[in-house]
């Protein structure tokens, strides 16, 4: 595990503390959970873009046309 120091505006840091407290978490655990969610969203986006890049557009549109029938 590594230590990461970040600089935040005072108001943002205070709001994170308040949010963490309301969820029964430490600020560290809250940031860890938020980071995990951001990375998961990024991974899904990259997977979708990779699949889309190799897709056959005409075939996909034909499938959508059949669904509209």
């Amino acid at each position: 595990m590594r230590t990461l120091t970040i600089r935040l505006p005072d108001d943002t840091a205070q709001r994170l503390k308040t949010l963490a407290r309301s969820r029964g978490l430490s600020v560290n655990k809250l940031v860890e959970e938020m980071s995990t969610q951001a990375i998961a969203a990024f991974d899904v986006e990259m997977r979708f873009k990779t699949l889309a890049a190799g897709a056959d557009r005409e075939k996909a549109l034909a499938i959508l046309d059949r669904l509209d029938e």
Side-chain angles (χ1 to χ4, degrees):
M1 186 162 301
R2 294 186 183 232
T3 300
L4 173 68
T5 302
I6 60 171
R7 289 177 180 34
L8 297 171
D10 291 340
D11 181 57
T12 302
Q14 187 56 50
R15 291 185 73 194
L16 279 174
K17 286 179 186 178
T18 301
L19 176 60
R21 193 176 309 117
S22 75
R23 294 186 180 182
L25 301 171
S26 66
V27 172
N28 184 72
K29 186 65 177 173
L30 176 67
V31 171
E32 181 184 340
E33 288 181 3
M34 292 167 61
S35 299
T36 299
Q37 291 172 357
I39 290 168
F42 177 76
D43 289 346
V44 167
E45 180 183 352
M46 291 301 102
R47 174 94 171 119
F48 179 80
K49 286 181 177 180
T50 299
L51 290 171
D56 182 331
R57 185 174 189 273
E58 295 304 318
K59 195 183 265 186
L61 290 173
I63 291 170
L64 290 175
D65 285 342
R66 283 198 313 255
L67 291 174
D68 285 340
E69 295 175 355

